[in-house]
Amino acid sequence: MQRFYDFIRRHPTGVDTFWAVVLLGLSGMSVVGGTGDGPERVAAVPVALGLCAVVALRRRAPEKMLLLAIGTGLAQLVLGVRPDVADFALLVITYTVAAVGERWASRLALGCSLAAAGVSQLRWPPETQTGGWAQSVFVVVVMTVPFVLAWVLGDSARTRRAYFSQLEERAARLEREREAQSKVAVAAERARIARELHDVVAHNVSVMVVQADGAAYVMEASPEQAKQALETISGTGRQALAEMRRLLGVLRTGDSPEGGEYVPQPDVEQIEELIGKVREAGLAVDFKIEGTPRPLPSGVELTAYRIVQEALTNTRKHGGPDAGASVRLVYFDDGLGLLVEDDGRGASHELYEDGGADGAGHGMIGMRERVGMVGGTLDAGPRPGGGFRISALLPLKPAGQ
């Protein structure tokens, strides 16, 4: 049975042709068994053929079939062919153009439907009329109702189909928007991970390189210093691995294979520990905190830590062997201020922006992106007296809140 229904849906014109043939057969029997004279019976044949053609081709060309139906109806009036079963095609085409035809065709079909019964009554008045004009009006109304119902059903089908089409279009648009949002979210997450990886790798590898060079230099003259340098390299490597494990953990879809929690993100309290490791690596850093320390949003704390980490890494890379640095954390009522300065050999602002000799090119860019994400401001550039200066203001709440 399902195959039969599928076949009907795939061949609508064939189904309409079948019903047109049935209608033609019934009309033929009506003509043969009718009581009309010879010319009327002869004229009824082309009228029936025209109306059956309307049924057969109604879905292929609804507007043209409507015009054919109107023309056939007018010919039926002129030739005096009384209405018979073939006129059922007028109901069918009225429904069809109301459902799938152009708007002008739908309005034309409605107008003709309202006028058809009245014109028919005038052309073929009843032979015996006992109720006067009231009976005629009643007959016209009764004959008009089926045409109006056919048009209303067709127009309702058009409205329902347009509604479903709008729902499908809206669902497709929402799906495209979800895909676009997913792509933006993925790109943002990749950028965030790239910044984190850059900060972790650039800082820790820089410390390890400096310590390795120092250990190689004093290996024979001062084994104890070389041992301390190697211990620093070991500790820095472990810290780098822990942070790498935390970053890569966001890419996992399941639980940690070891069942443990990942290392929490760095915060402001760990800046002092960071500076201590930088000092161990050979860079003199003066660190001060002004104001009353208090809990900050996690995004602000991570941004502050990464700015200090990147700034001190740049000092080690570009400031020279005798460079020193100072770090100031200032707690305001509505934000956190950062000031990182060094007195190195004064690398140009372009060198910092472009990443220097290693060609990384992401240090200052990453800083600006981080600060922008929390709604803060960043000022970076060479100091008038030599060295480099980075100043940032991180608000406690993003702009607009």
Side-chain angles (χ1 to χ4, degrees), residues 329-364:
L329 262 66
V330 183
Y331 286 88
F332 298 107
D333 293 337
D334 57 352
L336 177 68
L338 283 173
L339 178 62
V340 183
E341 296 179 308
D342 67 60
D343 56 0
R345 54 192 177 192
S348 67
H349 184 260
E350 289 78 11
L351 182 62
Y352 275 80
E353 289 281 7
D354 295 339
D358 62 359
H362 298 292
M364 292 298 300

Side-chain angles (χ1 to χ4, degrees), residues 21-35 41 45 48 84-86:
V21 172
V22 172
L23 187 64
L24 181 61
L26 295 175
S27 179
M29 290 188 294
S30 176
V31 171
V32 171
T35 59
R41 289 191 177 185
V45 174
D84 64 358
V85 68

Side-chain angles (χ1 to χ4, degrees), residues 258-335:
E258 299 176 5
E261 296 181 354
Y262 294 110
V263 177
Q265 297 190 37
D267 53 24
V268 173
E269 294 182 357
Q270 297 183 30
I271 291 179
E272 188 170 2
E273 179 181 351
L274 169 67
I275 291 175
K277 293 182 179 179
V278 172
R279 289 169 177 166
E280 293 177 0
L283 178 64
V285 182
D286 180 34
F287 177 56
K288 290 184 179 180
I289 298 177
E290 300 178 6
T292 304
R294 62 182 181 278
L296 301 171
S298 59
V300 172
E301 297 211 8
L302 177 61
T303 299
Y305 181 92
R306 292 305 186 194
I307 289 175
V308 174
Q309 185 183 53
E310 179 65 26
L312 295 179
T313 299
N314 286 339
T315 298
R316 287 199 307 271
K317 290 166 61 178
H318 308 297
D322 299 326
S326 65
V327 178
R328 297 289 185 275
L329 262 66
V330 183
Y331 286 88
F332 298 107
D333 293 337
D334 57 352

Side-chain angles (χ1 to χ4, degrees), residues 192-214:
R192 186 188 70 81
I193 294 175
R195 288 193 300 268
E196 292 286 323
L197 287 174
H198 170 268
D199 293 339
V200 171
V201 173
H203 170 73
N204 292 291
V205 172
S206 176
V207 172
M208 293 168 67
V209 169
V210 171
Q211 291 295 320
D213 289 342

Side-chain angles (χ1 to χ4, degrees), residues 139-203:
V139 172
V140 169
V141 171
V142 171
M143 295 177 60
T144 303
V145 167
F147 288 94
V148 175
L149 288 178
W151 186 88
V152 170
L153 290 175
D155 192 68
S156 298
R158 176 200 294 271
T159 303
R160 185 168 58 252
R161 187 169 54 254
Y163 174 71
F164 288 147
S165 177
Q166 185 179 11
L167 288 181
E168 291 176 355
E169 181 182 357
R170 182 179 180 183
R173 185 174 67 253
L174 291 176
E175 183 65 24
R176 291 192 298 268
E177 291 177 356
R178 280 195 296 268
E179 291 178 359
Q181 291 174 357
S182 298
K183 292 179 180 179
V184 171
V186 169
E189 184 65 12
R190 287 178 176 175
R192 186 188 70 81
I193 294 175
R195 288 193 300 268
E196 292 286 323
L197 287 174
H198 170 268
D199 293 339
V200 171
V201 173
H203 170 73

